[in-house]
């Protein structure tokens, strides 16, 4: 047996849940997921009537949709990258490129309606457009190393939390610790480099059409060699082909479909509430707790002036990003139950060690890079931010190097 997770993100053996009667299994597969779905819908309806409900209700809805799509399509930046590097399977990475292509097109439409002339000094509201410099490269590389050590990016750890993955709680705890470390090291990095790093929004220089064409051309150039490596399609499964419910709720979605869905959710979320991101709540709560404990500097230079996954102090109990993350985890739990993929496993020492260490790296990289693979990379590239491309290149390079070194040392599978 092994402690790693499978290439598609499903936990490998060590399941400890006892066998259950057939009627209870059916209830878990369909009854409980339905209850969770109705509960999410009812909560969204209730939130719509509360103060701030205009953002809270759609945030919960988009979070639930995002979690469902991530779980069904196994959308994970690290696992897709690892599948290509280790197994030579390009399908997952093509799904990521599909998400970026769909989001680029969607954001271009939204931004073109909001800001017809992008050449001015203003940046799009709330868009994840950050400074580009050596610190961003370092943050991306460290975040990538954290993915390789812990086995996932932060968003994948959240949906795997809903699957019962034993490493996910430790990775998320480590992420919060990494944010605190990032806050502690922010001031010297800001004064040395970040304060002078340029914030580059491509539509300002190329226009919306030029930025969109360039982005799609880069994605096409990346996809072309991957398409040549696609495996030959296997035989169809008649049962899945004739059962739409099974195809949607039990079978793994095609990666291109999951990618397009992620891009569409990202576009509609930005139009209605704000860019996709999963670290604002983690970072904000970590900052609040560390500040109360006296672990942070009295002032974090320039941090709150930057766009990205904001880590401002949280006064409200419910925040848009908080309910987004809650919806993500609950929907992924319901999806895993319906698919028979909720497989809780007893944590081992290696789970705790890899989760905490990898999580610290993830949290430091996400805080210093003003977001993670979803915020800085996905939402940033969709918005036309050069920072998204730079963070992504550094992230994949850091993950590849860490995986190579870990496999040579026999520490990573």
């Amino acid at each position: 047996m092994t402690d790693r997770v499978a290439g598609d993100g499903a936990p490998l053996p060590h399941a400890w849940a006892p066998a259950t009667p057939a009627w209870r299994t059916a209830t878990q597969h369909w009854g409980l997921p339905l209850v969770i779905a109705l509960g999410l819908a009812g909560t969204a309806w209730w939130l719509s009537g509360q103060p701030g409900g205009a953002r809270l209700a759609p945030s919960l809805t988009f979070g639930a949709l995002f979690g469902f799509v991530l779980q069904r399509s196994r959308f994970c930046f690290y696992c897709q990258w690892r599948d290509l590097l280790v197994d030579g399977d390009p399908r997952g990475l093509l799904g990521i490129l599909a998400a970026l292509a769909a989001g680029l097109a969607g954001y271009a439409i939204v931004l073109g309606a909001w800001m017809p002339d992008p050449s001015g000094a203003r940046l799009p509201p709330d868009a994840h457009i950050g400074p580009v410099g050596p610190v961003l490269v370092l943050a991306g590389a460290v975040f990538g190393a954290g993915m390789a050590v812990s086995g996932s990016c932060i968003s994948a750890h959240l949906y795997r939390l809903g699957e019962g993955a034993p490493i996910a709680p430790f990775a998320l705890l480590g992420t919060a610790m990494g944010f605190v470390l990032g806050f502690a090291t922010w001031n010297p990095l800001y004064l040395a480099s970040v304060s002078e790093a340029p914030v580059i929004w491509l539509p300002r220089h190329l226009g919306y059409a030029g930025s969109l064409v360039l982005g799609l051309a880069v994605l096409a150039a990346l996809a072309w060699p991957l398409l040549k490596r696609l495996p030959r399609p296997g035989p169809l499964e008649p049962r899945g082909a004739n059962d739409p419910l099974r195809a949607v709720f039990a079978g793994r979605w095609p990666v291109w479909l999951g990618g397009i869905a992620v891009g569409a959710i990202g576009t509609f979320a930005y139009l209605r509430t704000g860019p996709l991101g999963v670290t604002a709540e983690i970072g904000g709560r970590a900052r609040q707790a560390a500040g109360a404990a006296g672990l942070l500097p009295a002032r974090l230079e320039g941090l709150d002036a930057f766009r990205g996954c904001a880590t401002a102090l949280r006064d409200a109990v419910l925040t848009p990003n908080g309910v987004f993350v809650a919806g993500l985890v609950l929907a992924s739990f319901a999806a895993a139950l319906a698919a028979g993929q909720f497989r809780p496993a007893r944590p081992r020492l290696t789970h705790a060690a890899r989760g905490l260490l990898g999580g610290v790296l993830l949290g430091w990289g996400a805080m210093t890079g003003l977001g993670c693979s979803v915020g800085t990379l996905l939402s940033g590239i969709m918005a036309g931010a050069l920072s998204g491309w730079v963070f992504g290149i550094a992230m994949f390079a850091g993950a590849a190097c860490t995986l190579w070194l870990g496999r040579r040392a026999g520490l990573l599978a």
Side-chain angles (χ1 to χ4, degrees), residues 206-399:
L206 305 175
Y208 290 121
S211 176
L212 176 61
V213 169
L214 177 61
L216 293 178
V218 171
L219 295 177
L222 294 173
W224 179 250
L226 298 177
L227 289 170
K228 293 183 176 181
R229 300 179 62 175
L230 279 174
R232 293 184 178 182
L236 295 177
E237 297 183 8
R239 181 176 57 175
N242 296 326
D243 189 347
L245 286 178
R246 178 179 174 81
V248 172
F249 295 104
R252 179 175 178 176
W253 289 10
V255 288
W256 62 266
L257 179 60
I260 292 175
V262 166
I265 293 171
T267 299
F268 285 112
Y270 182 53
L271 178 64
R272 188 63 181 84
T273 59
L276 289 182
V278 298
T279 61
E281 186 70 9
I282 298 174
R285 298 298 179 183
R287 181 176 176 181
Q288 187 175 34
L295 300 178
L296 299 185
R299 175 183 173 87
L300 293 172
E301 300 292 341
L303 177 62
D304 295 329
F306 286 117
R307 295 159 185 263
C309 290
T311 53
L313 296 176
R314 262 57 177 163
D315 295 325
V317 175
L318 297 177
T319 65
N321 192 250
V323 298
F324 179 92
V325 170
L328 190 164
V329 174
L330 287 172
S332 65
F333 173 52
L337 283 174
Q341 294 172 347
F342 177 65
R343 299 166 185 160
R346 180 178 289 111
R348 295 190 172 190
L349 181 60
T350 51
H351 292 138
R354 286 184 55 184
L356 289 172
L357 175 58
V360 168
L361 297 174
L362 289 171
W364 188 92
M367 185 275 137
T368 308
L370 304 177
C372 63
S373 52
V374 172
T376 299
L377 191 162
L378 194 72
S379 295
I381 290 178
M382 290 176 179
L386 182 61
S387 55
W389 293 100
V390 173
F391 183 89
I393 293 171
M395 182 190 82
F396 285 118

Side-chain angles (χ1 to χ4, degrees), residues 32-48 56-65 67-68 323-335:
L32 186 54
L34 181 60
V35 169
I36 294 172
L38 292 175
L40 288 169
T43 303
W45 177 82
W46 176 78
L47 286 173
S48 65
L56 291 174
S59 293
L60 179 64
T61 302
F62 287 127
L65 291 173
F68 180 76
V323 298
F324 179 92
V325 170
L328 190 164
V329 174
L330 287 172
S332 65
F333 173 52

Side-chain angles (χ1 to χ4, degrees), residues 194-206:
V194 179
S195 61
E196 300 179 355
V199 176
I200 301 175
W201 185 42
L202 295 176
R204 174 180 291 166
H205 305 281
L206 305 175

Side-chain angles (χ1 to χ4, degrees), residues 389-408:
W389 293 100
V390 173
F391 183 89
I393 293 171
M395 182 190 82
F396 285 118
C401 292
T402 305
L403 177 63
W404 182 79
L405 292 172
R407 285 171 64 85
R408 283 183 63 89

